[in-house]
Amino acid sequence: MNEAYLEIVELDNGDIVLRPVNADKNENSEPLAVLTISDDTKAFLQNRYFDLAKCMFHAGIDFVYSEDFNDMPEDDFIEDFETVVDTPKTLH
């Protein structure tokens, strides 16, 4: 990915997005990632839900630029991701 400045913004619909900062201030830039936090979670976290979103995006960026990500063959990453997604888990 090209070196660019990124911003984390809450959209009018409540989604929080990670997107490139455009020099022309185009508010319709395509997001790199979209995070939807439920109303129940927002109520529980009160004003801290945006901090949660920032932490989640930072963790994702750190992972993408880590040695773990760079050393992992693409096929292994996809298989690991599918395993996580396909395995239902209940947290009590």
Side-chain angles (χ1 to χ4, degrees):
M1 182 178 291
N2 294 336
E3 185 174 324
Y5 290 100
L6 303 174
E7 64 182 352
I8 299 171
V9 179
E10 185 170 7
L11 302 178
D12 291 337
N13 67 0
D15 286 346
I16 301 173
V17 300
L18 176 69
R19 67 183 183 193
V21 176
N22 291 335
D24 63 358
K25 301 295 182 193
N26 179 2
E27 294 297 322
N28 295 322
S29 62
E30 183 72 24
L32 301 171
V34 178
L35 178 62
T36 302
I37 299 177
S38 72
D39 291 336
D40 288 341
T41 302
K42 285 182 179 180
F44 175 75
L45 295 174
Q46 299 173 4
N47 294 330
R48 302 291 310 261
Y49 71 89
F50 197 80
D51 292 330
L52 172 67
K54 290 192 302 186
C55 289
M56 293 175 78
F57 284 131
H58 283 285
I61 291 167
D62 287 346
F63 173 69
V64 168
Y65 287 100
S66 72
E67 289 181 22
D68 292 337
F69 183 82
N70 291 326
D71 292 341
M72 184 181 297
E74 187 174 330
D75 291 341
D76 288 348
F77 178 74
I78 292 171
E79 288 172 10
D80 289 346
F81 180 74
E82 289 172 348
T83 301
V84 171
V85 172
D86 291 340
T87 306
K89 296 182 180 178
T90 302
L91 180 61
H92 294 281

